[in-house]
Amino acid sequence: MENIQQFLGVNSDNIGQVIEQLVNQEVIKRRKYERRWYDNQFFDDGYHFRVISRKTGRVIDTIGKMTGYVERAIPRASQQIRGVSNLLWSAEPYPVVYPERITIEDFRLPNGQVDMQAYMQAVEKSKQVARKQGKWLTTEWEEADLSLKIIDMMIIAAKQSISYLQVYSDPVTKQIKFDVFDAFDVITEGDKRSLKDVPFITKTKSTTIDAIQSNPMYKPEMIKKLQPDNKYATSEIKDAYMRARFGSKTGEKQYASVIEKETFIKERLSDENWKRAIKLDAGGALEGKSKGDTIMRHVFSAGGITLQDEYINYDEYPFAYFRFEPGPLYQTPLIERFIPQNKSLDVIMTRLEKWVNTMVVGIYQKRKGENFQVSNFSGGQVVEYETTPLTQMQNSTVGATPFSVIQLLDKYIEEQGASTSALGQTPAGVKSGVAIESLKASEYANLKIATQMLKKTIKTIADLMLERADKDFMEPKEVSYIEDSEPQFFDIIGNKGFELSQTVGKALPPTIIPIKKGTKVRIEIEPGLGLTMDGKRNSMQQIIEFMLKFSEVGAVNPEAIKVVMKKFLDTFGFGSTQEFMEAMEQGNVNDMTEEQIMKMKVAIVEAMKDAGVVGPEADQKLVDSTKVGVVEALKDTGMLDKQNAPQAKEPSKSISFKDLPAEGQAQLAAQAGIQLSPEQIKVDQAKKQVQNIKNANTPAV
C-alpha cells in the first residue's frame, strides 16, 4: 500500500494538523469534480439551467430572462436515474453464508475407518450454523432499514459517481449502525481504484460545539481550543449549495458548530510506532499482531486540533462504497449522461408550449397608430376600432421536425440504460405480462455491470457486519424471526466473546451461534423468477409442473412439493400461507365423494391392466407358470421317470397331469410339495372342457 508509512512519525498532538492539511489538499485536487457533482445536484433538484460559476464559485442561472425566454425544466432526468435504481434493486439481492468446511479426515478412527455418522452430524450442524448466521444478517438488515440506505447510496452515486456507507458498533448499545455519506462528506484519494489502496479515509460532518464538549472521549483541554466555523461542509461548493437551500447557520453560541473529522489510517507496526500503539490501544488492537502487520489508527479532529487518537481493532476501513462501474473512485456520474439530452428536451418543449399558447390566443394585426379597445362580456368579445379593423393572422402548423427530434433524444436516453418501461412508460402495444417481462429482462441485462458492483457492495457490507459482531458482541444477543407464521428464536455472540466465555468457564446457551469474521458470504439475486409479479407467477407455475412430473416417478419427495407450493403461494401474495399448508397436510381420501372414489378405482384398474397385472393375459401367464412348476416338481420327485419307465406287461395308456380330475391334481401336487389354489385348478378345468367340446365338434377324417 502506498504511503502507508507517512503517519508513523506523527505523534498525537500533531496528527490533527497533519490530517487538516491532507484533507485540504484532497479537496483542492477534486475541485473540478465538486463543481460537476453539484451541477448535477441542481439538475436533479429541477434547476436545469443553474450551475456554479467556475470563476467566482457562485450559483448562477444561464436562462436569458431579459430575452423573455424562461426555459421550463422537465424533471425527466430525476426519474431516469431513479428508474435505473429501481430496476437494479428489483433483483432483491441478499447475503447467503457458506457453511464452515468439514473435512472427513477429522473423523477417521485409529483403525483407518471413518465415523460416517459423526461426520454427517458435523456437516449438518455446519449447515444449520451457516443458515442461522444468514438469518442474523437478514434480520439486522430489516431492523436497520438497510435496504433504504442502499437505495439512497444508489441515487447519490448516480449524481456524484460514488457514495459511502459506514458500518460501526454503537459503543453504548453494542448495536451495529449504518450511516450514508455522499462524495463530499468522505475525503480520500479519488484516483485510486479501491478503498483498500488509499492510505487514509476521513469522514466529515458539521457538529455543534456543545455536542463535542459533552463527548467523554475527547480531551477537555483540546476542546477549549476549538473555534466555530458554522459551515455545512468542508467543501466550499457544498457549503454554498447548502446555504442556498437551507439558509446560513446562526452565529449564536448554543448553535455554533465546527466541522468534525473522523479519520482512519492504516499503519505498519514497527519500532517507531510500537510503543505508541501499546499506549493508545483502545481494546484488542494489538491482539495477535506483530511487527510488520497492519494496524488501524483512529483519529478525531476539528480545525487541526486533535480531539482523540487511538488504535482500534479494525482490519479494514469501516466503509462500503457503491459505484455504477469499476474504475477510479471519482468518475463520470450516471446523471451526466442524461443532462445534454434533457436540456435539449427542455428547450424544445418550452418552444412548443409557447407556440401552443400563442396559436390558441391568436395573433392580431393592427395599423400603426390605430386605437382599438377589447371588451369581454358573457356572450363573447367586442373589439372597437376607429378606422381600420383588426385582422387575425392565420395559424400555422409547427410541423413534424420537433417531434422527430424528441423521438431521437428519447432513443439516446434509452441507450444510457433508462428505457421506457423502467420509467413507467410501457409501449402502447405491449399489454401481456410475458411481453412486459421480456422488456424488463432486456433492460436488466443492460445493467449487468451495475449489478455486479451492487453485489460487491452488499458483500462488503456483510463482511463488515461479521467483523463488528465478531469483535464487539461480547454478550449473547437474542435473534428472532418469523418462519411459516411461527416465531423462531436463537442466540448469537461474537467469536471473541465466545472464546473468552470458554476460557473463564462462563455458561452460555447450548444452541448459541458464534459469529466469525472472515466467514465466506455470497450474494444471491432473484431475477430468475422474473422481474414482474406476472413473470414470477408464471415461472412458479412452470416449476410446479416440472416438480410434479418428477414426483410421479418418485424422484422428488412430497416434502419438496410442499416447499414449492409454499413459495408459490408466497409469490401470489397471499400473506401467511400456514393455513393453506395445514389444510394440505390434513387432507385425506375420506373427504372424497363417491363419484371421485369410483373414478379412482377405475383409474387404478386401468393402470393395473396396462401393466399386465390383471386380465386374460395375466391369467394365462399364471396357468403356464403353474404347469411348468408342477412338471419340475414331478421330475424332482422321480414320479415322472416312473411313469415313463418301460413295463414288462403290455403297456397301458398313460394319463397326463391335465387329464387328472381336480382332486387328483391337488393330491399329486401336494405330494410334490406344491400348493395349487382352487382358482388355478378351476381355470385349468375350464380350459380342458373347452378343448373337449372343440374335439367333439371336429369331424373325423
Side-chain angles (χ1 to χ4, degrees), residues 131-271:
R131 180 174 178 271
K132 290 184 177 180
Q133 288 175 341
K135 282 293 183 182
W136 169 75
L137 281 175
T138 55
T139 301
E140 288 287 333
W141 277 46
E142 294 175 359
E143 292 180 355
D145 290 331
L146 195 54
S147 297
L148 297 178
K149 290 180 170 59
I150 295 177
I151 293 173
D152 190 15
M153 291 178 66
M154 289 193 290
I155 296 176
I156 293 175
K159 295 182 289 187
Q160 301 175 10
S161 78
I162 190 170
S163 57
Y164 302 88
L165 180 77
Q166 184 180 11
V167 183
Y168 63 97
S169 298
D170 188 278
V172 179
T173 62
K174 298 300 180 182
Q175 297 286 334
I176 297 181
K177 300 293 184 180
F178 308 91
D179 291 332
V180 179
F181 298 96
D182 61 18
F184 285 95
D185 295 332
V186 178
I187 301 171
T188 187
E189 296 182 356
D191 58 331
K192 299 295 189 296
R193 304 180 74 89
S194 175
L195 288 184
K196 295 182 178 181
D197 301 329
V198 301
F200 78 99
I201 296 178
T202 298
K203 181 200 74 178
T204 64
K205 69 175 182 177
S206 179
T207 309
T208 62
I209 299 295
D210 290 343
I212 294 177
Q213 290 176 346
S214 61
N215 194 327
M217 298 187 301
Y218 295 164
K219 301 176 182 179
E221 63 274 13
M222 294 298 183
I223 296 177
K224 295 179 181 179
K225 300 179 182 180
L226 292 178
Q227 296 295 329
D229 52 25
N230 295 324
K231 291 183 177 180
Y232 281 102
T234 302
S235 169
E236 294 180 359
I237 295 178
K238 179 176 180 178
D239 184 63
Y241 171 83
M242 298 295 287
R243 291 177 187 273
R245 298 291 289 169
F246 304 104
S248 300
K249 287 192 173 185
T250 178
E252 298 181 11
K253 183 178 180 180
Q254 61 269 28
Y255 301 111
S257 63
V258 66
I259 299 298
E260 181 185 17
K261 300 178 179 65
E262 182 182 7
T263 305
F264 297 87
I265 305 169
K266 284 187 177 181
E267 292 185 2
R268 191 86 67 188
L269 282 171
S270 64
D271 295 333

Side-chain angles (χ1 to χ4, degrees), residues 6 103 254 333 368 377 384 404 539 556 596 639 662:
Q6 61 178 319
T103 58
Q254 61 269 28
K368 185 177 180 181
F377 64 100
E384 297 180 356
S404 299
S539 298
V556 177
Q596 291 174 334
M639 297 183 65

